[in-house]
Amino acid sequence: GDSVKCAECISKLIDTRRKHGSTIEARRNTLSHYQPPTDVTPKVIDALSLLLDGSPYHATLSNLPEPDPSSPTATTVLDIQSAIYNSLSIVQEIIQLTEQFEQNLITQQIQTRKTRIDAPPLEQLKEIVKREVWSASKLENLYEEVLNHPGTSDELRRSIEASLLQRKRERLYSLDLTDSNKESLRNDVIEMVNGIVLLKIPNELAWSLYFETADLESIDEYNLRDIRVFLSILPNSSMAQLWRAWLRLKNLPETEEAKETIPEDDSDPLDWLLDLWQALPDSVLLRRMTALLQWKQADYHNAIKAAEAALRALSDLQGGMGLQLNQILDPIIDEDPNQLDCRIARGYVHQAASRWAEARSDFDQVVGIATVDDPRYIEAAEEAAWCQVQVGNVEAGKKGLSQVIEILEGGEDDTAQARAWWRLGRATWEDSNLDSYQESYKQWITALKRSSSFAPAYTSLGIYYSDYIEPRDPTRAS
């Protein structure tokens, strides 16, 4: 009947696109206008999607009888029958293909765009591309379909749930703070996290977000029961090591039953924490604990460094999640406005979040307090000038950078000299005329004379050679 004919056509279409898609696409290219074979993964996905509920052919295909595995030769469309009566394997295949295709597309787009003259910084470009690709993605809906499927095993459910949370969290981080979708997506993530924690599911990302986003004035305010549950279900995780160090510091057992059996150990919990910095590079909690312990041990220099790192991690967390959590270094600066290291750290945090005016304010404060022979003076002066360029005060920025170069020239910091000359070239380029392009070229050459390994200058010169001189010089551009 019609259902069998429809099933046979779709089966052939799927088979053709799986096996011969790339060959077909390649044949369309002529030798004189060759293009690489098109990725036909979306076409395979489209073909497989014809078997899912919502397809215009699903009603017709639903008239097929249930498959009889004991008589596989009794029908020519056993694969289609199996898919119609249990779509789980089809959805899983579509998920796998979609994940692979989107990752390849993101990589390709980043490689294509990063050499453009108006390309944003690489990390920002990555977020832009991801945001574009994910905005058209159906992957989250596919994950939800697996989670709601009656045939999904507990193991598969946990795996898909982890993938869904990972994607939602990544998409949330890619959205600007001003994006109207950020709040609702954040609420989705928090709801998933709270559900996973409530059910005591061993999902490390969920528990990490649960602990890291807790807006608590004191680490002692964390729920001890939650910490012990986490240690019992994810005992080998890096976050578990962090909490073990904290419990050891507080002389608390890891489990309720172990109250009277706290093991003797002469190791310093601070050493445990320091060993985790590489394993937990984004953890605000770890850096906050480290700063607290170092402060209590009167190691103020390293405590401030750890607090600065905590503030940078906190800024990333705030921007990614769209949350406003208690600041870490603000009380230190409020108590002692002359804490120059803290001000510089906060300035860099503002820079990372593109809050250029706030960053400039912190750097200007340092310039106003530090003496000229203090290395922090020249560092802050350069960053303040760079902030001027970023907000459009190009002439003021160029003047500031020129003053910085006068101080740096003749010194021993080749990298700082190269960076200042390169930044001056970037500022000069903003004038957008032939004279400014040629002047920028000279400044970038000077940057390389100061430090031949300063990579940004090579990138800028490459763009100059390939796009802004006549005739074009692709050899030197490469």
Side-chain angles (χ1 to χ4, degrees):
D2 291 342
S3 60
V4 174
K5 291 180 180 178
C6 180
E8 288 176 340
C9 289
I10 291 177
S11 181
K12 290 179 181 177
L13 176 65
I14 293 173
D15 185 61
T16 298
R17 290 190 173 177
R18 275 178 174 160
K19 295 181 179 179
H20 307 298
S22 296
T23 303
I24 293 171
E25 293 294 329
R27 286 174 181 170
R28 294 177 182 172
N29 296 294
T30 65
L31 290 176
S32 58
H33 296 88
Y34 177 77
Q35 296 292 328
T38 304
D39 187 346
V40 296
T41 302
K43 294 187 177 181
V44 178
I45 293 172
D46 290 343
L48 291 169
S49 298
L50 297 176
L51 302 174
L52 302 180
D53 189 15
S55 158
Y57 304 104
H58 192 268
T60 300
L61 295 173
S62 296
N63 293 324
L64 290 168
E66 290 192 41
D68 182 3
S70 64
S71 303
T73 58
T75 174
T76 58
V77 289
L78 180 63
D79 56 337
I80 303 299
Q81 290 172 264
S82 300
I84 292 298
Y85 282 91
N86 185 2
S87 61
L88 185 58
S89 62
I90 296 298
V91 178
Q92 287 182 267
E93 183 177 357
I94 293 175
I95 285 174
Q96 183 180 8
L97 291 171
T98 302
E99 289 173 338
Q100 178 183 343
F101 171 72
E102 290 183 358
Q103 184 57 53
N104 291 341
L105 180 59
I106 288 170
T107 301
Q108 177 190 27
Q109 286 295 311
I110 292 172
Q111 291 295 324
T112 300
R113 298 190 202 180
K114 70 179 183 180
T115 57
R116 295 177 182 173
I117 184 63
D118 58 347
L122 183 57
E123 291 304 314
Q124 184 181 348
L125 175 61
K126 289 179 181 178
E127 296 305 316
I128 292 172
V129 172
K130 288 177 182 178
R131 189 161 58 239
E132 291 175 358
V133 172
W134 291 342
S135 66
S137 175
K138 298 179 181 178
L139 197 53
E140 290 178 31
N141 291 333
L142 292 167
Y143 289 145
E144 296 279 5
E145 193 164 340
V146 173
L147 293 176
N148 296 328
H149 197 284
T152 300
S153 65
D154 287 343
E155 182 180 0
L156 177 59
R157 189 179 306 280
R158 298 298 172 239
S159 174
I160 292 296
E161 188 175 50
S163 296
L164 177 59
L165 177 60
Q166 179 72 31
R167 168 53 68 92
K168 282 182 177 289
R169 185 261 189 190
E170 288 180 340
R171 191 159 63 86
L172 173 62
Y173 269 56
S174 75
L175 296 179
D176 292 330
L177 286 171
T178 56
D179 194 299
S180 59
N181 296 315
K182 196 168 184 83
E183 182 178 0
S184 62
L185 184 55
R186 180 183 69 241
N187 291 338
D188 287 347
V189 169
I190 292 175
E191 183 179 355
M192 283 193 72
V193 166
N194 290 337
I196 289 171
V197 170
L198 179 65
L199 296 175
K200 303 177 183 178
I201 296 170
N203 182 307
E204 191 167 354
L205 174 60
W207 283 90
S208 176
L209 289 172
Y210 178 72
F211 288 129
E212 294 287 352
T213 58
D215 191 10
L216 304 175
E217 291 187 7
S218 169
I219 299 175
D220 290 327
E221 294 179 26
Y222 278 95
N223 189 310
L224 183 57
R225 183 171 56 254
D226 288 338
I227 295 172
R228 286 171 170 164
V229 167
F230 175 71
L231 288 172
S232 69
I233 62 177
L234 287 164
N236 299 320
S237 64
S238 296
M239 182 68 75
Q241 290 296 100
L242 179 152
W243 281 120
R244 284 194 184 94
W246 183 255
L247 294 178
R248 180 60 53 84
L249 177 70
K250 295 295 181 177
N251 202 31
L252 292 170
E254 293 184 18
T255 65
E256 184 70 22
E257 296 77 16
K259 281 185 177 179
E260 306 301 328
T261 59
I262 300 175
E264 294 292 334
D265 193 335
D266 294 332
S267 61
D268 186 348
L270 178 58
D271 292 335
W272 293 20
L273 296 178
L274 293 173
D275 288 342
L276 289 171
W277 273 55
Q278 188 171 1
L280 296 171
D282 304 315
S283 175
V284 179
L285 183 57
L286 171 61
R287 282 142 187 81
R288 186 180 180 186
M289 283 185 186
T290 304
L292 180 61
L293 265 65
Q294 290 172 330
W295 192 269
K296 287 185 175 181
Q297 294 179 7
D299 184 2
Y300 300 122
H301 177 72
N302 285 321
I304 290 174
K305 283 188 174 182
E308 292 168 353
L311 183 57
R312 289 191 292 271
L314 178 63
S315 178
D316 291 340
L317 180 65
Q318 287 178 331
M321 293 293 292
L323 292 169
Q324 287 298 320
L325 307 176
N326 286 334
Q327 297 296 317
I328 293 175
L329 292 186
D330 287 354
I332 299 177
I333 295 176
D334 291 341
E335 183 177 341
D336 182 4
N338 294 329
Q339 275 289 354
L340 303 188
D341 290 331
C342 292
R343 284 197 178 277
I344 288 175
R346 194 169 66 178
Y348 283 127
V349 170
H350 287 315
Q351 277 190 342
S354 297
R355 296 190 293 266
W356 300 104
E358 292 90 336
R360 179 193 164 198
S361 176
D362 271 323
F363 291 127
D364 280 344
Q365 289 279 352
V366 174
V367 171
I369 297 172
T371 58
V372 178
D373 58 349
D374 187 332
R376 294 172 296 185
Y377 173 90
I378 194 63
E379 178 183 3
E382 180 185 348
E383 297 305 329
W386 185 238
C387 290
Q388 291 271 36
V389 175
Q390 297 301 319
V391 298
N393 299 330
V394 178
E395 291 305 315
K398 287 195 292 185
K399 181 179 179 181
L401 288 169
S402 297
Q403 292 171 345
V404 166
I405 288 172
E406 288 181 12
I407 298 174
L408 288 173
E409 288 291 278
E412 297 180 356
D413 193 340
D414 296 341
T415 300
Q417 294 172 33
R419 183 181 60 246
W421 276 107
W422 172 75
R423 283 177 164 178
L424 182 59
R426 284 291 303 272
T428 304
W429 188 275
E430 294 296 320
D431 292 338
S432 301
N433 57 60
L434 184 59
D435 289 341
S436 69
Y437 296 154
Q438 291 174 342
E439 183 63 22
S440 292
Y441 165 80
K442 295 176 183 177
Q443 290 160 344
W444 292 332
I445 291 295
T446 303
L448 290 177
K449 288 180 178 178
R450 299 299 181 269
S451 175
S452 60
S453 61
F454 190 71
Y458 286 107
T459 302
S460 297
L461 285 171
I463 294 170
Y464 172 80
Y465 288 132
S466 64
D467 296 341
Y468 288 91
I469 62 170
E470 294 293 344
R472 301 287 190 259
D473 193 342
T475 301
R476 299 182 76 180
S478 61

